[in-house]
Amino acid sequence: MTDPVLVDRRDGYHVITLNRPERLNAFNADMLAGIAAAMVQCRDDDSCRAIVVTGAGRGFCAGQDLTARELDDAGGRPDLGASLETTYNPLILMMRDMAKPIIASVNGIAAGAGANFALAADFVIAGRSASFLQAFARIGLIPDAGGTWWLTRHLGEARAKALAMLAEPLPAATAESWGLIHRVVDDADLEGETARLAERLAASSAMALALTKRAIHEASRNALETQVRVERDLQREAGFGPDFVEGVSAFLAKRPADFRRT
Ligand code: T3D
């Protein structure tokens, strides 16, 4: 049987490829477990300083595999709340809490939980032919895997409601112009631009990126008074870290900083 998740260990970062192209990389239980395991591997490996997730074939991910959601012979229904609680929610929260930056390299349609899995990444870079589809309403569901949260935060209620309730695909270029994703590039450039971004992040101060990610996430729920105290505490931690010594020494010596040795 083909592995539903492939992991390519590159210099400084890992590429996790969703690998069920014949189903547009729809999530099944094995794939969800494989993604979580690959994320944990990178989290625990000091040589892995960034993570890329992408899809094999013409799509990024078509969300939950609906062939696993047919009624059973007795008409029994799956408990979708339990499915979210045990698989999707822990995965999305692990991505949010991951100290290392995550890039979603969206190579085609990202639908349902596949779209929201991409939006859980820190950087979403998409090929021009890609699109984001909150497909849920088409099958009588609500956006999950963080969808209602990302859409409302990034776009505001009007656009969030339109995307969720009309369930029309949002082209990558519009997603970029609306501020939902980081960047759209020509399809032919997606792999190269993703690698360039991953290499750049891998060469950056791991501590600065981890603390920045934390600060920005905390900012979304804090008043300014609280957030400046968060910044004080995290900056104190950064200032006592080795990357600050390296960064300042490199600046003063007029040489590039080498954070991978600190
Ligand atoms: O259940 C829980 O645990 C709760 C969590 C739910 C999270 C969710 O993600 S719910 C939303 C699930 N996803 C969808 O509803 C999207 C379903 N797919 C589509 O609407 C379309 O496939 C796309 C718009 C994404 C792409 O359309 P198109 O025309 O480019 O491709 P296609 O021909 O529809 O798909 C290609 C093949 O992939 C096709 O198989 P076939 O006919 O060639 O044998 C199609 O059936 C299969 N496929 C696509 N999406 C899924 C899928 N098979 C199973 N599950 C899918 N989600």
Side-chain angles (χ1 to χ4, degrees):
M1 225 177 70
T2 324
D3 200 329
V5 176
L6 305 175
V7 181
D8 181 10
R9 290 169 183 76
R10 307 237 179 119
D11 183 25
Y13 65 99
H14 291 182
V15 179
I16 301 173
T17 302
L18 314 188
N19 188 36
R20 302 183 70 224
E22 70 292 349
R23 297 247 150 256
L24 292 181
N25 305 314
F27 292 124
N28 63 10
D30 284 348
M31 186 192 272
L32 286 162
I35 298 168
M39 295 263 175
V40 167
Q41 257 177 34
C42 178
R43 185 193 66 195
D44 297 344
D45 176 352
D46 286 344
S47 73
C48 177
R49 298 166 65 88
I51 301 174
V52 173
V53 290
T54 192
R58 73 174 173 93
F60 176 74
C61 175
Q64 169 63 39
D65 187 327
L66 297 175
T67 63
R69 290 292 176 263
E70 284 178 314
L71 299 189
D72 64 27
D73 291 343
R77 294 177 179 189
D79 177 347
L80 303 192
S83 161
L84 293 176
E85 188 65 27
T86 55
T87 53
Y88 288 97
N89 293 1
L91 176 62
I92 296 301
L93 295 177
M94 174 164 39
M95 292 169 74
R96 201 270 315 266
D97 293 339
M98 178 76 68
K100 303 174 182 185
I102 302 175
I103 302 167
S105 179
V106 179
N107 53 304
I109 182 88
N116 297 332
F117 168 69
L119 296 178
D122 302 301
F123 292 83
V124 184
I125 175 167
R128 208 164 292 284
S129 69
S131 58
F132 298 81
L133 170 61
Q134 298 293 325
F136 306 89
R138 294 184 181 187
I139 56 167
L141 296 181
I142 70 156
D144 58 20
T148 55
W149 203 86
W150 314 122
L151 295 178
T152 311
R153 296 258 157 195
H154 296 320
L155 304 178
E157 278 194 25
R159 283 175 169 165
K161 284 177 181 163
L163 289 176
M165 294 185 189
L166 302 178
E168 296 291 347
L170 182 71
T174 313
E176 182 199 51
S177 70
W178 283 6
L180 183 64
I181 67 170
H182 170 55
R183 217 179 140 203
V184 63
V185 297
D186 288 339
D187 290 347
D189 297 333
L190 181 63
E191 212 178 313
E193 289 299 324
T194 301
R196 218 184 317 282
L197 177 60
E199 283 158 12
R200 180 172 170 180
L201 292 168
S204 301
S205 158
M207 185 175 218
L209 299 191
L211 296 178
T212 299
K213 183 168 169 174
R214 231 164 85 192
I216 288 177
H217 289 156
E218 292 200 27
S220 67
R221 57 172 179 259
N222 284 340
L224 180 61
E225 290 74 10
T226 311
Q227 187 62 16
V228 291
R229 287 194 286 273
V230 169
E231 289 174 357
R232 173 200 63 200
D233 293 344
L234 297 180
Q235 195 71 297
R236 176 175 291 134
E237 200 177 328
F240 285 129
D243 285 358
F244 181 51
V245 176
E246 169 61 8
V248 173
S249 307
F251 174 78
L252 295 177
K254 299 188 187 303
R255 64 169 172 81
D258 183 359
F259 292 115
R260 291 185 67 172
R261 290 162 57 94
T262 52

